[in-house]
């Protein structure tokens, strides 16, 4: 479905005069047949329009017309011959649209939170809804126990091969099995590099950076004791940028009173002399995986897979609804947003990774500030933010795109992409259009 709009069909009545039927309809460019919805037609039809069913077909009557829709002998469906006059579409149709009759109101609310929380699985979303941390309205309570709908973006972004049924020796890669001896935040941190062939734009650029200076990957840090994840993007994957990311992650945790005692990593760059000197300078221990034994660094490997799954699905979801604006070079922003959501979402034990770090349950309240990545936003004009005035008929805001949250600001200050200058800036006076309706 590419859009929704109003269709005008011209039909010939029983007395031979033309009449125009007006009805809402979905726009499916690949469809080879037009399907007329009687339910949608009668919701908007004049009150004097009546319908009667007989063995020969369906009779529509009113004070202005009367005509019969005969049954098609090949499929027994009422078939009408009409001329399509007009189709005015409203793009960016979302499943949560009020005109979607295939989902209940509770399922639409569940999908809205599913979108806002980075396409988190529906069971975890409902668990958060039941806890009351996302509100206590009747629709939220209904969404916490309704049947799970399907999400097309998840089908595109999280698809996996079917299991073969082979039951071999399973090497544990889940965090609980790996971190059994690392129960406190900072005791052990796994780190691993990741590479992306698509160059990623910088946060402080305007989208015109030379390809040699754009992101090509990064380093992910996974704390065993809290499940907390940190991310640092690299232009070149070398020891200097790895050390820079390590120091930045350590400062981030030190702000919350957590001191990192040891690391676990693979070989390669992590075996360089500069990194070992950095570890010795802070009296930190290090453990390395065996050559070719990537499963021994399973915590970081699994965390990379989880974060990329979230980021990929969010990008696909936004690209389906805003294809003229969404580009793949904003993957660093999608990954940062995915990490933010991961750290704030409660896990199976009911505690979010950030809550383990800051030792407070206040962090989960920030989830109410979550929005759909890549959605349109409207930012107040800078002159009005400075309490100045504008001419009476000048637009009061500009349209931008939501890019996640700034690590240097409150969660009420999102990062938005200016569609004219292509700069990414933190803004406070923002209105979100989470469902891509405008």
């Amino acid at each position: 479905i590419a859009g929704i709009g109003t269709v005008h069909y011209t039909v010939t009545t029983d007395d031979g005069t033309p009449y125009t039927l007006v009805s809402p309809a979905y726009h499916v460019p690949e469809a080879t047949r037009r399907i007329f919805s009687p339910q949608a037609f009668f919701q908007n039809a004049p009150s004097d329009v009546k319908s009667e069913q007989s063995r020969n077909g369906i009779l529509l009557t009113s004070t202005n017309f009367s005509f019969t829709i005969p049954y098609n002998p090949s499929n027994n469906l009422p078939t009408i011959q009409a001329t399509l006059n007009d189709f005015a579409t409203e793009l960016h149709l979302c499943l949560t649209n009020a005109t979607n009759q295939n989902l209940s109101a509770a399922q639409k609310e569940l999908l809205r939170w599913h979108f806002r929380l980075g396409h988190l699985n529906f069971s975890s979303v409902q668990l958060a809804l039941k806890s009351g941390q996302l509100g206590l309205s009747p629709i939220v309570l209904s969404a916490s126990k309704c049947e799970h709908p399907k999400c097309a973006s998840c089908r595109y972004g999280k698809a996996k091969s079917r299991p073969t049924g082979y039951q071999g020796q399973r090497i544990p890669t889940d965090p609980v099995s790996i971190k059994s001896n690392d129960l406190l935040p900072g005791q052990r941190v796994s780190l691993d590099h990741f590479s992306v062939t698509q160059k990623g734009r910088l946060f402080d650029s305007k989208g015109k950076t030379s390809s040699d200076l754009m992101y090509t990957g990064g380093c992910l840090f996974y704390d065993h004791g809290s499940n907390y994840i940190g991310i640092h993007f690299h232009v070149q994957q070398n020891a200097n940028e790895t050390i820079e990311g390590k120091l930045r992650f350590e400062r981030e945790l030190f702000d919350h009173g957590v001191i990192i005692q040891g690391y676990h990593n693979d070989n390669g760059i992590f075996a360089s002399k500069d990194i070992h000197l950095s570890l010795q300078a802070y009296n930190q221990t290090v453990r390395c995986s065996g050559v070719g034994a990537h499963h021994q660094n399973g915590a970081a490997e699994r965390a990379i897979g989880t974060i990329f799954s979230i980021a990929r699905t969010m990008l696909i979801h936004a690209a389906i609804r805003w294809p003229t604006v969404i580009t793949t070079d904003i993957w660093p922003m999608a990954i940062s947003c995915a990490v933010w959501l991961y750290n704030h979402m409660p896990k199976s034990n009911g505690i979010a990774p950030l809550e383990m770090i800051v030792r407070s349950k206040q962090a989960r309240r920030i989830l109410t500030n979550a929005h759909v990545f890549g959605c349109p936003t409207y930012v107040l004009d800078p002159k009005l933010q400075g309490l100045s005035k504008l001419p009476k008929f000048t637009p009061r805001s500009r349209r931008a795109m939501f890019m996640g949250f700034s690590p240097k600001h409150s969660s009420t200050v999102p990062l938005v992409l200016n569609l004219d200058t292509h700069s990414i800036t933190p803004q406070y006076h923002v209105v979100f259009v989470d469902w891509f309706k405008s």
Side-chain angles (χ1 to χ4, degrees):
I1 297 175
I4 184 174
T6 303
V7 179
H8 296 247
Y9 288 112
T10 299
V11 299
T12 302
T13 62
D14 293 344
D15 60 4
T17 59
Y19 184 81
T20 301
L21 298 177
V22 180
S23 176
Y26 295 119
H27 177 41
V28 184
E30 293 80 10
T32 59
R33 296 290 186 272
R34 304 288 182 180
I35 301 177
F36 183 80
S37 172
Q39 295 88 347
F41 170 71
F42 280 107
Q43 286 180 357
N44 299 273
S47 58
D48 62 340
V49 177
K50 308 295 181 183
S51 66
E52 296 180 7
Q53 188 172 3
S54 66
R55 297 181 62 182
N56 298 325
I58 298 178
L59 177 64
L60 293 181
T61 61
S62 77
T63 56
N64 299 321
F65 66 87
S66 173
F67 69 94
T68 303
I69 305 176
Y71 293 121
N72 189 327
S74 63
N75 53 26
N76 291 327
L77 292 176
T79 305
I80 184 174
Q81 298 293 331
T83 302
L84 180 61
N85 293 340
D86 186 16
F87 184 67
T89 62
E90 175 189 348
L91 297 180
H92 318 312
L93 178 69
C94 191
L95 285 175
T96 57
N97 194 289
T99 58
N100 182 9
Q101 301 178 9
N102 297 322
L103 298 178
S104 65
Q107 288 177 315
K108 292 178 183 179
E109 181 68 11
L110 179 60
L111 267 177
R112 292 187 185 102
W113 281 108
H114 173 71
F115 296 158
R116 291 176 65 177
L117 298 179
H119 295 262
L120 183 70
N121 67 81
F122 288 110
S123 297
S124 297
V125 175
Q126 287 184 323
L127 187 63
L129 293 174
K130 290 178 183 178
S131 68
Q133 63 194 58
L134 302 179
L136 295 173
S137 63
I139 188 64
V140 168
L141 296 179
S142 299
S144 67
K145 52 187 177 182
C146 70
E147 182 182 356
H148 296 176
K150 298 294 184 182
C151 174
S153 300
C154 289
R155 304 284 78 78
Y156 286 121
K158 299 181 179 180
K160 296 181 180 179
S161 58
R162 294 180 60 183
T164 61
Y166 172 72
Q167 298 292 334
Q169 181 183 3
R170 182 178 179 272
I171 299 173
T173 58
D174 58 288
V176 176
S177 300
I178 294 174
K179 67 171 187 177
S180 57
N181 297 322
D182 304 316
L183 302 179
L184 298 178
Q187 273 191 281
R188 183 72 57 184
V189 173
S190 289
L191 65 156
D192 197 9
H193 283 130
F194 60 87
S195 299
V196 182
T197 55
Q198 166 68 49
K199 295 294 184 69
R201 62 158 292 170
L202 308 182
F203 284 82
D204 55 356
S205 72
K206 295 185 178 181
K208 299 180 180 179
T209 309
S210 170
S211 61
D212 297 336
L213 301 177
M214 298 176 70
Y215 292 132
T216 59
C219 188
L220 181 139
F221 300 84
Y222 178 85
D223 178 57
H224 290 203
S226 64
N227 298 331
Y228 187 83
I229 290 179
I231 204 80
H232 179 70
F233 298 108
H234 292 176
V235 175
Q236 296 178 349
Q237 293 192 7
N238 53 36
N240 290 334
E241 295 212 25
T242 302
I243 293 174
E244 180 184 350
K246 169 182 172 293
L247 296 177
R248 183 176 298 180
F249 180 71
E250 290 173 353
R251 287 195 299 268
E252 181 180 341
L253 266 62
F254 185 76
D255 288 342
H256 302 296
V258 176
I259 298 176
I260 298 177
Q261 302 173 25
Y263 286 92
H264 184 100
N265 51 49
D266 292 329
N267 294 281
I269 295 178
F270 300 115
S272 67
K273 181 179 178 180
D274 292 337
I275 292 181
H276 277 282
L277 290 176
S278 175
L279 293 168
Q280 292 176 6
Y282 292 93
N283 294 321
Q284 295 166 331
T285 61
V286 60
R287 292 188 312 193
C288 295
S289 302
V291 177
H294 294 286
H295 63 273
Q296 294 181 348
N297 196 20
E301 297 277 359
R302 186 67 188 91
I304 290 175
T306 300
I307 293 302
F308 269 81
S309 177
I310 299 172
R312 178 173 57 250
T313 305
M314 292 193 303
L315 271 175
I316 292 174
H317 180 85
I320 292 174
R321 289 154 177 79
W322 208 359
T324 57
V325 176
I326 302 296
T327 56
T328 54
D329 65 342
I330 61 172
W331 62 260
M333 296 79 204
I335 289 178
S336 294
C337 186
V339 170
W340 187 92
L341 289 169
Y342 180 92
N343 288 332
H344 286 82
M345 275 302 303
K347 305 308 173 192
S348 57
N349 59 0
I351 303 176
L354 184 61
E355 294 174 345
M356 292 285 292
I357 295 294
V358 301
R359 297 177 292 279
S360 171
K361 289 189 176 182
Q362 303 298 321
R364 66 183 61 187
R365 298 182 181 179
I366 299 177
L367 282 176
T368 56
N369 297 326
H371 294 277
V372 180
F373 178 83
C375 71
T377 62
Y378 290 86
V379 182
L380 189 67
D381 187 278
K383 292 184 179 179
L384 295 178
Q385 295 184 27
L387 303 180
S388 300
K389 293 184 177 181
L390 290 175
K392 288 184 172 56
F393 297 102
T394 300
R396 322 289 281 182
S397 65
R398 58 174 174 81
R399 189 159 69 163
M401 183 168 59
F402 174 57
M403 292 279 96
F405 295 97
S406 169
K408 301 178 181 179
H409 299 83
S410 165
S411 62
T412 59
V413 182
L415 293 175
V416 297
L417 173 66
N418 189 314
L419 300 181
D420 296 324
T421 64
H422 299 285
S423 60
I424 299 176
T425 57
Q427 298 288 338
Y428 179 77
H429 303 279
V430 180
V431 175
F432 297 88
V433 188
D434 286 306
W435 324 127
F436 297 83
K437 289 184 178 180
S438 62

